């Protein structure tokens, strides 16, 4: 029975035919639905002596472009339906007879010509097993006793947050937002005796959905979807088996369905009992669950697409029928937030400042501290901090995922490369030759090229990581801000290079030996100590400003 808010038509215009009238368990029977042009359809096999009973057997597709398999009453592939609202006059499928098939099986169909015009439970041919006794009078459902469509009402006004935390359990994102706001995702549960009224709202042109889960991973979840199809909302339940399209249910046990589409918001409400023992895929509402809230696009025919960003997930498990609460959630797991934050600290501040110090501050800070020049101690401290922060951040995604992620593209591969280079740098530095050793020049070039490669790859890796679903910083803001940081670092580097060059030009070159001395950038650069220290201070402040900007954005996820 389509939940279209209209009654079915009385006289069927479409017919069901089969290629065989006898069957044995395991046989494949071709089933054909044909008639005037229609958009949607639903075909199922039932026990001919008990048409109100469960589905019998399973189907195989003959035309995958226009048809799909459904799971009804927990019987996998027990029905065939449309994939889109494209016009069609003829569809085929193959019914596979089960080993425990009844003696007589009848095919039934629902056909939708368009939204308001449809026929329900069209009777098709009866097929029988060999030597089966004659069919007794079936307990069929006649047109006069067809179930009426579940009443669907239009909401006359938007939801409100009154009662959140006092009389009903609410989830809001951003926290404390108004459900009438165009940016607010809202979900509420209000218990009334043995049932719960559920309200869901959010900005979407396609669908909004929530799911009850025993953990923070998709899989083995009880889901509820409000799908916008031609500015009409279909409320559907589904089972999530993993990171695959949901298995939509043909029957859901929901009552008092109502909806509203206005101002870019999809809003729907419905009521369901605390326990639905007749529907095995439905969880009991009086238990603790993580709650997911997602949105995405839907195409013609109500076909939903994968949500483009990470679902909002509550920070803990909640019983929505327990004491009312007003909670929020996060679209990014805490471990991945820490991963991103530590990487930003390491590769936007400590490593960048350490490189500037080693490149330009040798003549500025030549004095010794604990047996080594000050510039070297500062450089070494910042680089070791970078390695430490990177190492900690590196293991966090593996802890969260429990292994390697197949869904993160090139980001983890580049991240592993950066981690390897970051560890190789201090190991190589531990074996550097003395200043005047013949191999020192080779070491300097290898050390510089390894560090530069690591920094370039780190920036590329951060660019890729910012748009992954598990983090998904605001776009295109994140890209422009990262480009701004790169330009800031390159600009400061160029400024200090120009400053060093100008100092050298000021020095009078006496002879060739003197030129060699000047090329070491000692006495000439010492004249610009104050300028360099001012630039370094400004550079550090700028880096911290970029870092705070990114950390604040991560905190808002």
């Amino acid at each position: 029975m389509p939940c279209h808010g209209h009654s079915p038509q009385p006289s069927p215009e479409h017919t069901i035919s089969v290629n065989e009238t006898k069957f044995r368990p395991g046989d494949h029977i071709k089933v054909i639905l044909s008639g005037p042009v229609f958009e949607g359809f639903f075909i199922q096999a039932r026990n001919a002596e008990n048409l109100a009973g469960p589905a019998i057997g399973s189907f195989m597709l003959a035309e995958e472009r226009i048809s799909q398999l459904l799971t009804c009453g927990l019987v996998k592939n027990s029905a065939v339906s449309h994939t889109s609202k494209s016009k069609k006059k003829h569809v085929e499928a193959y019914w596979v007879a089960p080993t425990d098939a009844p003696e007589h099986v009848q095919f039934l169909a629902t056909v939708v010509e368009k939204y308001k015009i449809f026929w329900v439970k069209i009777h098709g041919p009866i097929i029988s097993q060999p030597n089966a006794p004659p069919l007794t009078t079936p307990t069929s459902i006649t047109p006069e006793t067809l179930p009426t469509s579940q009443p669907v009402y239009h909401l006359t006004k938007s939801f409100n947050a009154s009662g959140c935390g006092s009389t009903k359990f609410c989830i809001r994102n951003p926290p404390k937002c108004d459900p009438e706001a165009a940016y607010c995702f809202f979900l509420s549960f209000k218990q009334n005796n043995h049932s719960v009224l559920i309200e869901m709202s959010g900005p979407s042109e396609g669908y909004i959905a929530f799911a009850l889960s025993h953990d923070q991973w998709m899989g083995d979840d009880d889901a509820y979807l409000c799908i916008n199809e031609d500015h009409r909302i279909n409320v559907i339940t589904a089972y999530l088996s993993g990171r695959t399209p949901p298995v939509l249910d043909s029957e859901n046990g929901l009552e008092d369905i109502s909806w509203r589409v206005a101002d870019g918001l999809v809003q729907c409400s419905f009521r369901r009992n605390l326990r639905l023992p007749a529907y095995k895929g439905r969880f009991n509402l009086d238990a603790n669950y993580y709650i997911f809230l997602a949105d995405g696009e839907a195409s013609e025919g109500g076909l939903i697409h994968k949500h483009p960003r990470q679902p909002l997930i509550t920070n803990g498990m909640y019983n929505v029928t327990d004491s009312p609460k007003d909670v929020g959630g996060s679209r990014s797991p805490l471990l991945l937030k820490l991963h991103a934050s530590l990487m930003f600290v390491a590769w936007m501040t400590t490593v960048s400042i350490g490189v500037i110090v080693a490149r330009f501050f040798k003549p500025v800070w030549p004095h010794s501290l604990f047996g080594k020049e000050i510039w070297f101690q500062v450089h070494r401290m910042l680089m070791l901090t970078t390695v430490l922060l990177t190492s900690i951040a590196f293991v966090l995604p593996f802890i969260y995922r429990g292994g390697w992620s197949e869904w993160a593209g090139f980001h983890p591969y580049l991240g592993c490369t950066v981690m390897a280079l970051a560890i190789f740098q201090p190991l190589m530095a531990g074996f550097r030759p003395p200043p005047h050793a013949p191999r020192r020049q080779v070491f300097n070039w290898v050390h510089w090229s390894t560090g530069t490669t690591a920094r370039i790859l780190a920036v590329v890796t951060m660019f890729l990581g910012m748009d992954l679903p598990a983090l998904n910083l605001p776009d295109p803001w994140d890209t422009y801000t990262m480009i701004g940081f790169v330009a800031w670092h390159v600009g400061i580097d160029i400024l200090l290079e120009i400053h060093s060059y100008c100092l050298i030009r000021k020095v009078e070159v006496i002879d060739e030996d003197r030129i060699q001395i000047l090329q070491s950038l000692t006495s000439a650069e010492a004249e610009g100590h104050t300028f360099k220290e001012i630039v370094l201070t400004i550079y550090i402040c700028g880096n911290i400003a970029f870092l705070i900007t990114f950390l604040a954005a991560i905190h808002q996820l």
Side-chain angles (χ1 to χ4, degrees):
M1 172 63 73
C3 296
H4 293 184
H6 299 277
S7 298
Q9 301 297 307
S11 302
E13 299 180 2
H14 303 79
T15 59
I16 308 170
S17 59
V18 294
N19 66 336
E20 299 286 348
T21 57
K22 299 290 184 180
F23 74 93
R24 297 178 185 274
D27 283 356
H28 290 53
I29 306 298
K30 179 187 280 190
V31 182
I32 302 169
L33 174 65
S34 59
V37 173
F38 57 96
E39 296 179 351
F41 67 92
F42 184 92
I43 304 173
Q44 199 176 75
R46 297 279 181 92
N47 184 341
E49 297 182 287
N50 180 21
L51 293 182
I56 302 297
S58 61
F59 283 88
M60 295 175 57
L61 297 179
E63 303 166 293
E64 294 186 5
R65 185 179 60 84
I66 62 173
S67 57
Q68 63 177 325
L69 299 175
L70 300 179
T71 296
C72 298
L74 301 181
V75 180
K76 189 175 182 180
N77 302 336
S78 58
V80 185
S81 187
H82 55 283
T83 58
S84 72
K85 59 190 296 185
S86 62
K87 306 294 184 183
K88 50 190 81 72
K89 291 185 176 181
H90 176 100
V91 292
E92 296 180 359
Y94 291 94
W95 179 72
V96 182
T99 56
D100 58 348
E103 294 176 323
H104 306 279
V105 172
Q106 184 170 18
F107 294 97
L108 305 171
T110 289
V111 176
V112 177
E113 179 181 309
K114 53 186 178 181
Y115 194 85
K116 297 181 180 180
I117 302 176
F118 55 87
W119 294 264
V120 174
K121 220 159 196 175
I122 299 172
H123 288 217
I126 297 173
I127 60 176
S128 305
Q129 296 199 45
N131 303 320
L135 178 65
T136 59
T137 304
T139 58
S140 61
I141 300 178
T142 62
E144 288 74 20
T145 60
L146 276 171
T148 58
S149 176
Q150 169 67 44
V152 178
Y153 304 99
H154 291 272
L155 292 167
T156 56
K157 60 181 181 180
S158 179
F159 299 142
N160 62 73
S162 62
C164 284
S166 58
T167 61
K168 59 185 179 181
F169 185 100
C170 297
I171 301 170
R172 292 191 271 176
N173 180 250
K176 306 297 182 182
C177 66
D178 185 348
E180 295 186 15
Y183 58 86
C184 183
F185 287 90
F186 175 80
L187 177 64
S188 72
F189 302 83
K190 186 174 183 180
Q191 183 177 359
N192 182 14
N193 296 325
H194 299 293
S195 67
V196 175
L197 176 64
I198 300 172
E199 297 177 332
M200 181 164 51
S201 172
S204 177
E205 295 297 326
Y207 70 90
I208 55 175
F210 81 89
L212 306 175
S213 179
H214 298 289
D215 52 37
Q216 292 182 297
W217 296 94
M218 288 183 64
D220 189 25
D221 305 326
D222 180 13
Y224 301 78
L225 302 91
C226 296
I227 305 174
N228 184 357
E229 184 179 356
D230 293 335
H231 297 285
R232 295 177 179 273
I233 302 299
N234 287 331
V235 180
I236 301 174
T237 58
Y239 173 75
L240 302 180
S241 59
R243 302 183 75 168
T244 57
V247 180
L248 304 181
D249 299 317
S250 60
E251 300 173 343
N252 53 40
L254 305 182
E255 302 173 347
D256 299 340
I257 297 173
S258 56
W259 56 268
R260 176 177 179 265
V261 179
D263 304 322
L265 288 174
V266 170
Q267 297 187 323
C268 60
S269 72
F270 52 89
R271 185 180 299 278
R272 63 148 284 188
N273 290 335
L274 286 175
R275 297 170 180 267
L276 291 172
Y279 303 88
K280 191 174 180 181
R282 304 282 72 79
F283 292 177
N284 297 331
L285 292 182
D286 52 354
N288 290 315
Y289 304 103
Y290 288 100
I291 303 173
F292 290 55
L293 189 58
D295 65 289
E297 295 181 354
S299 56
E300 270 192 297
L303 184 66
I304 66 172
H305 300 275
K306 180 182 177 182
H307 41 81
R309 57 176 176 168
Q310 188 86 349
L312 179 78
I313 306 175
T314 55
N315 296 320
M317 300 181 75
Y318 295 99
N319 182 340
V320 298
T321 63
D322 204 348
S323 57
K325 293 180 176 63
D326 189 3
V327 304
S330 175
R331 293 188 182 274
S332 181
L334 178 60
L335 288 178
L336 296 188
K337 285 184 178 181
L338 290 174
H339 165 78
S341 299
L342 292 176
M343 287 299 190
F344 278 129
V345 172
W347 295 95
M348 290 185 69
T349 54
T350 57
V351 76
S352 301
I353 297 169
V355 168
I356 292 289
V357 168
R359 173 69 177 152
F360 299 105
F361 281 76
K362 294 178 182 178
V364 179
W365 297 333
H367 303 294
S368 295
L369 178 67
F370 302 118
K372 294 289 183 179
E373 293 90 341
I374 294 178
W375 73 265
F376 179 77
Q377 297 284 35
V378 172
H379 171 74
R380 180 166 62 181
M381 178 192 68
L382 290 172
M383 292 309 183
L384 290 177
T385 302
T386 299
V387 175
L388 176 63
L389 294 176
T390 303
S391 300
I392 296 172
F394 179 78
V395 301
L396 295 180
F398 290 98
I399 295 174
Y400 172 71
R401 294 289 183 190
W404 186 263
S405 173
E406 300 291 341
W407 307 88
F410 290 106
H411 178 79
Y413 296 98
L414 292 176
C416 290
T417 304
V418 171
M419 184 73 255
L421 294 175
I423 293 176
F424 179 67
Q425 275 289 77
L427 292 177
M428 178 174 55
F431 295 95
R432 68 183 180 278
H436 302 293
R439 291 174 297 174
R440 182 59 180 251
Q441 194 69 17
V442 176
F443 165 81
N444 289 343
W445 275 105
V446 174
H447 189 62
W448 175 86
S449 59
T450 303
T452 302
T453 302
R455 291 166 60 208
I456 293 173
L457 290 179
V459 171
V460 174
T461 306
M462 287 191 289
F463 267 109
L464 295 176
M466 291 187 301
D467 290 327
L468 288 176
L471 190 64
N472 199 23
L473 291 174
D475 193 53
W477 168 90
D478 56 348
T479 302
Y480 293 149
T481 306
M482 183 58 73
I483 291 174
F485 165 72
V486 173
W488 168 254
H489 175 76
V490 172
I492 293 294
D493 211 329
I494 293 174
L495 176 64
L496 291 174
E497 287 285 0
I498 294 174
H499 175 258
S500 298
Y501 175 78
C502 292
L503 285 179
I504 295 174
R505 298 290 296 173
K506 290 181 180 179
V507 177
E508 294 181 2
V509 180
I510 300 175
D511 53 38
E512 204 165 306
D513 292 336
R514 179 63 174 161
I515 291 175
Q516 295 299 322
I517 296 172
L518 291 176
Q519 285 177 344
S520 66
L521 302 181
T522 54
S523 60
E525 288 200 348
E527 298 178 13
H529 292 179
T530 303
F531 176 81
K532 288 184 178 180
E533 289 173 343
I534 292 174
V535 171
L536 179 63
T537 302
I538 295 173
Y539 178 69
I540 293 174
C541 292
N543 280 23
I544 292 175
F546 277 107
L547 177 63
I548 291 174
T549 302
F550 277 108
L551 295 183
I554 293 173
H555 178 70
Q556 293 297 321
L557 296 176

